[in-house]
Amino acid sequence: GNRTLRSLDLDHDLCKEGLLLIAGMLQKNAYLRSLTVSFCFSNDDDNDAIVNRFCCSLKSNKSLLHLQNRKAGSLHGSKKFYGTILSLLEDDNYTLRVFDLCCEDGKEEEVQDFSAQKSFFLKLNFWGREKILQELSKSAWVDLLHSVRHDLDCIFYFLEKNPAILADSLNKTSTQEIPSQLSIVGDATFSDPHSHSVTLTSCGEYKKRVKRMREDIDGNH
C-alpha cells in the first residue's frame, strides 16, 4: 500500500461498486488518516451495503481518524443503518474522531439518540480509549479520570471498564466491596456519597439504548 498518502478527498460521486472497493481498501490500509467520499443513493439497500462495508473494514483499521460523506446531509439512515454504525463504535473501533456518513438533523427520537451515542463514542476515542483500555498502570488511569473530570458520561464509562481503580481509591481489596453510590467531584476525588452521589449503574444507560435499537432491528427481520 501507499505509505505516503495520509488524506484522500474524493469530491465526485462514485458508483456503488467503486465505493465498495474504497471501503474494502481500508481493511488493510494502515497509513490513511482522513477519507472523504460522496454518496447518497435513492435505494436504501445500496446505502446500507456501503455503510456495512465501511464498518466491516473499520473493525480492523486502526489508522483512520476522519471519515466523511459530502452528501451526509441528504442521506437519512434507517434503524439498521444506525445500529451498524453504533455497534462498530461501541465494540470495535476506538480510533475514529470524525464519522459523518448520514444526516443527524432530524427531530425523531431515533435520530437524536443515534447522534448523541455516536458523539459519545467518538469523544471517548478522542480521550484515548484505545490506549487506555490496554493500559495497566494506575497513574495513567488516574490521569485520564482527571482529564475527563467534568464529563460524568466519560467518567462512568471508564470506571465501568476498570472498576478496580475505585477499589484502589477506597483502599478496598475487592471490587465487590465497592459501594453502589460514590461521589465524583471536580478534582476527580471520591468523597461523601451523600453530598452529590451518582450510581455506577448510570454508566450503562447508553448500552440500554443500543440494545433496544438492536432488538428493534432484529424484530423487523
Side-chain angles (χ1 to χ4, degrees), residues 2-162:
N2 191 319
R3 299 189 179 188
T4 60
L5 186 64
R6 294 290 185 268
S7 178
L8 180 60
D9 189 340
L10 304 172
D11 57 357
H12 296 292
D13 291 0
L14 294 177
C15 63
K16 175 184 175 181
E17 290 72 20
L19 284 163
L20 290 175
L21 286 173
I22 293 294
M25 170 270 297
L26 292 175
Q27 191 165 6
K28 296 184 178 180
N29 186 284
Y31 305 100
L32 195 65
R33 299 291 183 266
S34 177
L35 174 63
T36 301
V37 295
S38 178
F39 73 94
C40 181
F41 296 103
S42 57
N43 187 324
D44 288 341
D45 289 340
D46 288 341
N47 292 319
D48 286 344
I50 292 167
V51 171
N52 283 334
R53 191 67 184 94
F54 271 116
C55 288
C56 182
S57 293
L58 289 170
K59 288 181 179 181
S60 56
N61 182 294
K62 306 303 180 185
S63 64
L64 196 70
L65 301 178
H66 303 90
L67 176 58
Q68 295 175 283
N69 175 16
R70 288 183 177 276
K71 291 189 173 181
S74 302
L75 179 56
H76 296 275
S78 61
K79 286 186 177 181
K80 179 179 179 181
F81 190 106
Y82 296 146
T84 299
I85 293 175
L86 292 180
S87 178
L88 167 75
L89 295 177
E90 179 181 4
D91 301 327
D92 299 300
N93 188 290
Y94 297 167
T95 54
L96 280 167
R97 307 288 181 82
V98 176
F99 194 55
D100 295 330
L101 292 183
C102 62
C103 178
E104 300 176 28
D105 295 334
K107 296 182 179 180
E108 298 86 351
E109 182 179 354
E110 65 181 26
V111 176
Q112 294 182 346
D113 201 34
F114 164 74
S115 181
Q117 291 181 70
K118 191 199 79 168
S119 297
F120 173 63
F121 292 127
L122 294 177
K123 179 168 56 176
L124 293 174
N125 292 354
F126 172 80
W127 287 114
R129 177 165 53 147
E130 180 182 36
K131 181 179 179 180
I132 197 64
L133 292 183
Q134 301 174 19
E135 178 63 61
L136 298 178
S137 72
K138 177 182 176 182
S139 61
W141 278 89
V142 171
D143 288 343
L144 172 68
L145 292 175
H146 180 74
S147 297
V148 301
R149 64 191 181 279
H150 299 302
D151 192 322
L152 288 179
D153 289 335
C154 286
I155 290 175
F156 288 145
Y157 177 89
F158 288 119
L159 289 182
E160 182 193 40
K161 295 300 182 182
N162 186 10

